[in-house]
Amino acid sequence: MSNSFSHVLSPIRVAGHLLKNRIISGPSTIHTASNGEDHPTEAGKRFFVDRARAGAGLVTCAGVSIGGFNNDGVHASWDITIPNRQNALCDLADEIHMYGAKCTMELIGVLPDGWTVSDGCSIMGGPIGRGEAPLEVLDQFKAGYVQAVKAIKACGFDGVLFHFGHSIPIAQFLSPCTNKRTDQYGGSFENRVRYPLEVLAACREAVGRDMIFDVRFSGSEFQKGGIDEAEGIRIAEVFQEYADILQVSAGMHNPDWMTWTHPCGFLPPMPNVYLAEGVKKSGKITQALVSTIGGIGSLQDAEDIIASGDADIVAMGRSLIADPEWCNKVRDGREDELRKCISCCIGCVGNRMGSNRPIRCTVNPAVTQGDICKKRKVNKPCKVMVIGGGTAGLEAACTAAEIGCDVTLAEQSGSLGGRAACLCDLPEKRRMNDFVTYLKNRTARLKNIKVVLNAAVTKQMAAAENPDLIVCATGSKIATPNIPGLLDNLAEGNIMTVDGVIAKVTEGGFPHSMAGKQAVIIGGGAAGLDLVEFFAVRGAAVTVVEMTNTIGNGMDLVSRVSIHNIMREKHVRQMPGTKLLEVKAHSFVTDAGELPFDYGCICLGLKACNPLFEEMSAVAKTVAVGDAKLAPRLIIDGTREARQIVNTLEAMGYLD
């Protein structure tokens, strides 16, 4: 074990169970691995077993509904009520145990038939429910919890995670913002915690003390009139009578506060740890361990949290999607191979919450199919030339090398990483550098990759390499539409593109404080909003102009909510549905008026840059990946397409 991580990788005893380390693999709703089955499929089992294989001390599985199988058309929902439907769950628990991990099952407290705690409450942040659940429904629901917990224990699971957070229906009992009942379950604090405590007490009586009870709740909802830090500590204090682990989360499933539940790149790193710290150091928790969750981006972060006494255990969700082998890599001293979550929220939370699509990952294109590069190798010598050393080009080069190809990677500039590496220079986007660093380290380890920098590839140069396959990953370039004054003022340096802002940041050309300055950003897409954040947090008065009617269109749901919260907090002037007509030296002329600026930025998108495709096609089989393939898109599209060159090589006969 690495001495650098002696706290987080040390064992801990919970309810009579010895966890081999302090890492919980948090529950992930695996839409990917469910087609409406009432049991975990092989893909579903593999998803959770992989986390045990990779070294997590406790694996939390997700998918049991209270009251029996309930296919809502989106989530995995496994039936725990009928014996022959439990077989796959028994197998899942057994396989997790084979790798020395313990396992729990998440129970999400969604009341039946659309009932909620009070009139006007929503169901999982979505539609308003049918109204206040009557007492007989609550009694039946409590009995359903008991039945589920007993069955989960019978299947061989070591415990359950009671999800009482994020203002999901059962959590609405806890909050004065949502609980408007006038019976024994509403009003005072004692009444508001009564029903969740009754559920915990009934379940504990049914299964005894040797089953791990992990209780998740919001340490703060951030909503005025809702659970605040002091209330969160009071909730923890009463839950500890029945809980072995108090998992302190945050936020609510609504457009304002969901971003704290699923922290994205627009929030500071690990924004919710202070809530667990408040609970842990309150002096009131003597019977349970405290766990923290939310945007914990590295094992070093987890080590620091536990070493400082902020929490006893750390729960990770997205970090273990980005790299399921974290613990093993650290154990083996391979920290430089860690593939860290960059909190982009695009393929995981964005897909789940924004479009109800399967889980994907920007930095881990193998998330749904396992690491095919470990399973397959070329059956004869194969040479691959990759043109472009951005994220898509690096992924393509590494993928080809890992299956046994000899690879030449040619990059026109003097460094690798492409546009993503440049974006890292914006202070708020430094987490992106973790992915660029991972790709560079991975490239350097592979001895069958030859990297050529400052290389302007020609047909003759490519032919000299004699490749069997050429991959064009030449990326994109800044779009400069034909708007009066635009090119002249770009050339004279009066206005900046995203690249220009980054270059000035790198040179130290911006003051620390921009108070009293006017910044106008033309373009309300992802790149423009990165600059909105940059100028706004430094005190500039910011205006963002967007031609369409939606600012943040195309962004994942959580990131869009986050940046809109920042814009509201920083009083950013938003001008959707506004067209740029002319660019002057110190102002933009729009159809809504003239906007003077101290800092003027043009963020009107990118366009594909692939001038070599036809020329390279005359040399060898040629494919394009990333922005060069069709049009500028997301990093996740490029990494996925780069990994898919395995399919191209298979079609060419290089793989059986």
Side-chain angles (χ1 to χ4, degrees), residues 184-196:
Q184 68 267 38
Y185 296 127
S188 67
F189 173 81
E190 290 73 19
N191 283 357
R192 284 186 278 109
V193 299
R194 189 186 307 278
Y195 184 75

Side-chain angles (χ1 to χ4, degrees), residues 53-293:
R53 182 185 294 116
L58 176 63
V59 178
T60 304
C61 304
V64 168
S65 299
I66 303 301
F69 177 63
N70 175 31
N71 182 9
D72 64 3
V74 176
H75 302 85
S77 176
W78 303 328
D79 196 342
I80 200 76
T81 61
I82 300 175
N84 65 4
R85 293 178 181 172
Q86 297 174 6
N87 294 336
L89 291 168
C90 294
D91 292 343
L92 174 58
D94 286 345
E95 290 183 45
I96 289 173
H97 289 148
M98 283 173 55
Y99 293 97
K102 302 297 180 179
C103 56
T104 56
M105 178 66 71
E106 180 185 30
L107 296 175
I108 298 180
V110 180
L111 293 161
D113 302 323
W115 292 110
T116 55
V117 168
S118 299
D119 293 341
C121 289
S122 69
I123 303 173
M124 299 295 286
I128 300 300
R130 65 185 291 186
E132 180 173 303
L135 295 179
E136 58 269 24
V137 169
L138 297 183
D139 288 340
Q140 293 168 6
F141 196 53
K142 188 193 310 177
Y145 263 100
V146 172
Q147 179 189 31
V149 170
K150 290 169 66 175
I152 288 167
K153 184 176 184 179
C155 287
F157 283 80
D158 305 293
V160 290
L161 168 64
F162 293 90
H163 193 332
F164 290 172
H166 310 163
S167 197
I168 67 173
I170 195 168
Q172 293 165 4
F173 278 101
L174 300 172
S175 175
C177 180
T178 50
N179 187 341
K180 306 301 182 184
R181 300 178 73 99
T182 57
D183 59 10
Q184 68 267 38
Y185 296 127
S188 67
F189 173 81
E190 290 73 19
N191 283 357
R192 284 186 278 109
V193 299
R194 189 186 307 278
Y195 184 75
L197 284 174
E198 286 180 0
V199 169
L200 293 173
C203 291
R204 182 60 84 188
E205 183 179 2
V207 297
R209 296 297 313 186
D210 62 342
M211 197 172 187
I212 298 170
F213 277 19
D214 185 357
V215 183
R216 174 187 286 181
F217 63 97
S218 291
S220 174
E221 291 180 320
F222 303 109
Q223 178 71 40
K224 184 177 180 180
I227 297 169
D228 58 15
E229 294 175 54
E231 190 89 340
I233 292 171
R234 292 182 73 190
I235 291 170
E237 186 179 6
V238 297
F239 278 175
Q240 69 175 326
E241 180 180 354
Y242 304 104
D244 301 296
I245 300 173
L246 296 165
Q247 189 178 120
V248 188
S249 189
M252 305 174 75
H253 275 304
N254 67 27
D256 290 329
W257 308 118
M258 61 185 291
T259 186
W260 292 90
T261 302
H262 308 282
C264 70
F266 285 106
L267 290 181
M270 304 183 295
N272 300 330
V273 172
Y274 78 99
L275 295 170
E277 179 186 7
V279 171
K280 175 68 178 171
K281 296 180 179 178
S282 67
K284 299 180 182 298
I285 307 305
T286 59
Q287 300 172 246
L289 301 172
V290 175
S291 172
T292 186
I293 189 171

Side-chain angles (χ1 to χ4, degrees), residues 386-556:
V386 178
I387 306 173
T391 52
L394 287 166
E395 179 64 48
C398 292
T399 295
E402 286 164 353
I403 62 173
C405 301
D406 290 320
V407 180
T408 297
L409 172 60
E411 164 57 36
Q412 187 172 19
S413 74
S415 61
L416 299 175
R419 190 169 294 280
C422 295
L423 190 63
C424 300
D425 288 337
L426 291 178
E428 287 74 29
K429 300 301 169 189
R430 284 179 180 156
R431 271 177 279 186
M432 183 74 72
N433 193 52
D434 288 333
F435 184 41
V436 175
T437 299
Y438 159 77
L439 288 171
K440 289 179 179 179
N441 289 344
R442 184 176 163 199
T443 301
R445 285 194 305 271
L446 292 163
K447 304 306 180 185
N448 50 338
I449 297 180
K450 177 178 70 174
V451 177
V452 184
L453 299 177
N454 300 305
V457 177
T458 63
K459 181 178 179 181
Q460 292 73 24
M461 176 183 172
E465 294 290 330
N466 192 29
D468 300 293
L469 175 66
I470 297 174
V471 180
C472 285
T474 44
S476 56
K477 58 184 180 181
I478 297 290
T480 52
N482 186 21
I483 296 172
L486 174 57
L487 293 178
D488 289 342
N489 282 288
L490 273 173
E492 293 174 12
N494 297 319
I495 58 172
M496 297 172 284
T497 62
V498 174
D499 291 353
V501 172
I502 291 170
K504 193 167 181 177
V505 168
T506 305
E507 296 164 0
F510 287 108
H512 179 71
S513 173
M514 299 180 186
K517 300 294 185 180
Q518 297 281 338
V520 181
I521 288 85
I522 305 295
L529 293 176
D530 284 340
L531 297 191
V532 167
E533 178 189 31
F534 174 78
F535 287 107
V537 299
R538 286 161 180 77
V542 179
T543 299
V544 56
V545 176
E546 167 58 37
M547 185 171 65
T548 71
N549 291 324
T550 304
I551 292 177
N553 190 33
M555 296 177 70
D556 70 275

Side-chain angles (χ1 to χ4, degrees), residues 2 63 83 151 216 268 301 334 361 415 588:
S2 171
R216 174 187 286 181
D301 291 338
R334 297 184 288 137
C361 181
S415 61
F588 292 122

